[in-house]
């Protein structure tokens, strides 16, 4: 997983697809048929020196319609499953080549304390760097609550780890359970 031939284009496509799917796509402006104004011709066609427009719904009038305005649509970009798998392995390989992966035994907290998590970050020399902590499938709720108030730290479940999260951090901190899960499920079958 950590020593494949990296495919930069697959990583690019997958990150682009992820970011595009985060867009809401609900932008909309009113067209002529949606404007509730009179259809009466406001003034005569010729002799006024102005544009020859018809009703008050015209795009030339303040409060009128918008010509070819935005319409709601989806920004989703389809990426094939095998390309996503190649991209995930490539992203992990990039992190391994940069020595950006740290493996810890476990992250268990008795209570949700940000101070405790901050001390873990400080002991790993990650203060001020953007770090992603990847925990095994049954994510520790106390670890999640302890880390969410730290601005440069995020916690993710190994099962839901995506390429954008991997590429968007300087250091990737894996627990041993998460590493075993990644090696079993992200390997080239």
């Amino acid at each position: 997983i950590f020593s494949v031939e990296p495919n930069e284009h697959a990583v690019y496509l997958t990150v682009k697809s992820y970011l595009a799917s985060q867009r809401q796509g609900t932008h909309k402006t009113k067209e002529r048929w949606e404007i509730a104004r009179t259809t009466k011709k406001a003034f005569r066609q010729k002799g006024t020196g102005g544009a020859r427009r018809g009703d008050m719904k015209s795009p030339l009038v303040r409060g009128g319609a918008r010509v070819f305005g935005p319409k709601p649509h989806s920004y989703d970009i389809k990426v094939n499953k095998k390309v996503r798998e190649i991209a995930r392995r490539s992203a992990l390989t990039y992190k391994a080549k940069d020595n950006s992966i740290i493996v810890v035994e476990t992250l268990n907290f008795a209570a949700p304390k940000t101070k405790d998590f901050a001390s873990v970050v400080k002991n790993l020399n990650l203060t001020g760097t953007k770090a992603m902590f990847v925990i095994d499938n049954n994510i520790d709720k106390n670890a999640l609550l302890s880390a969410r108030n730290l601005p440069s730290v995020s916690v993710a479940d190994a099962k839901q780890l995506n390429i954008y999260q991997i590429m968007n951090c300087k250091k990737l901190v894996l627990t041993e359970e998460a590493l075993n899960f990644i090696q079993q499920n992200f390997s080239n079958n």
Side-chain angles (χ1 to χ4, degrees):
I1 296 170
F2 300 104
S3 60
V4 297
E5 181 66 34
N7 188 333
E8 193 172 325
H9 189 65
V11 172
Y12 162 75
L13 287 175
T14 311
V15 169
K16 183 179 173 185
S17 170
Y18 175 81
L19 291 174
S21 66
Q22 298 302 302
R23 294 183 70 177
Q24 198 168 10
T26 55
H27 42 13
K28 169 92 174 75
T29 58
K30 289 188 176 182
E31 297 188 5
R32 290 186 75 138
W33 63 274
E34 297 171 303
I35 303 279
R37 296 184 87 176
T38 181
T39 57
K40 181 185 160 205
K41 195 171 175 72
F43 50 80
R44 63 183 192 272
Q45 175 89 352
K46 299 169 83 64
T48 61
R52 43 172 107 114
R53 56 178 180 74
D55 57 6
M56 298 302 285
K57 299 178 182 184
S58 171
L60 305 174
V61 180
R62 182 181 175 92
R66 170 102 185 260
V67 181
F68 304 127
K71 295 179 181 176
H73 68 281
S74 172
Y75 283 97
D76 291 348
I77 299 170
K78 182 184 178 291
V79 177
N80 292 337
K81 186 177 179 181
K82 287 186 179 180
V83 174
R84 283 194 313 253
E85 290 171 1
I86 290 169
R88 190 182 298 134
R89 288 193 296 272
S90 298
L92 290 170
T93 300
Y94 279 132
K95 290 295 175 190
K97 282 185 178 178
D98 293 341
N99 292 326
S100 298
I101 296 178
I102 299 170
V103 180
V104 295
E105 189 175 329
T106 184
L107 282 174
N108 288 332
F109 294 96
K113 292 277 188 186
T114 304
K115 189 187 288 186
D116 295 343
F117 206 97
S119 68
V120 169
V121 170
K122 187 176 180 183
N123 292 337
L124 292 172
N125 293 327
L126 298 176
T127 307
T129 53
K130 201 170 192 180
M132 165 70 71
F133 285 79
V134 182
I135 302 176
D136 61 332
N137 291 338
N138 47 3
I139 194 161
D140 184 19
K141 188 175 181 184
N142 290 335
L144 188 65
L145 293 173
S146 300
R148 71 179 179 183
N149 205 24
L150 296 172
S152 61
V153 173
S154 55
V155 178
D157 185 1
K159 188 181 270 187
Q160 297 172 346
L161 188 65
N162 63 48
I163 289 87
Y164 179 75
Q165 290 173 325
I166 296 170
M167 298 303 289
N168 194 31
C169 66
K170 290 282 185 195
K171 294 285 184 179
L172 194 65
V173 181
L174 304 170
T175 61
E176 287 182 352
E177 297 91 2
L179 182 64
N180 292 336
F181 179 83
I182 287 171
Q183 286 177 337
Q184 289 173 1
N185 295 307
F186 295 173
S187 63
N188 194 2
N189 296 332

